[in-house]
Amino acid sequence: MYMGKVVGSIEASQKDDSLVGRKLMIVQQVNSDGASIRYEEVAADTVGAGVGEYVLLVKGAGARKTQKEANRRDVVDCAIVGIIDRFNK
């Protein structure tokens, strides 16, 4: 799992069928201090996150398993699976 901050969203009128009805957010990976690391990427939102919120991300097979339908083809490679309330250090 990774931590990130939602910095925006995207709209795509033409996309793979497995993305229809899914909210696509731009996320910036962050460390536990909330500082940006690495790069921005697009993630499918499964929890209703909003711009400015810190989130938990999963990638690869974990991201594809966020769909309720088990045997469905899915092109998602990054998904938001949680909203971070606070960082405790």
Side-chain angles (χ1 to χ4, degrees):
M1 244 188 278
Y2 303 88
M3 298 175 293
K5 183 175 182 179
V6 179
V7 297
S9 64
I10 64 166
E11 295 180 25
S13 59
Q14 300 297 315
K15 56 191 167 227
D16 187 86
D17 288 342
S18 69
L19 297 176
V20 172
R22 297 174 92 172
K23 189 166 72 166
L24 302 175
M25 306 301 282
I26 303 167
V27 293
Q28 170 70 57
Q29 283 191 27
V30 298
N31 62 20
S32 61
D33 294 321
S36 298
I37 58 172
R38 296 193 180 87
Y39 45 83
E40 294 178 349
E41 58 190 310
V42 176
D45 184 15
T46 68
V47 295
V51 174
E53 291 188 293
Y54 290 97
V55 295
L56 293 174
L57 304 165
V58 292
K59 294 185 179 186
R64 285 184 286 284
K65 291 181 181 179
T66 61
Q67 279 295 91
K68 305 271 189 263
E69 301 172 30
N71 293 320
R72 184 174 171 211
R73 183 181 72 81
D74 197 343
V75 299
V76 170
D77 192 50
C78 184
I80 298 170
V81 296
I83 298 173
I84 297 171
D85 295 318
R86 68 181 151 273
F87 296 95
N88 297 322
K89 290 174 70 173

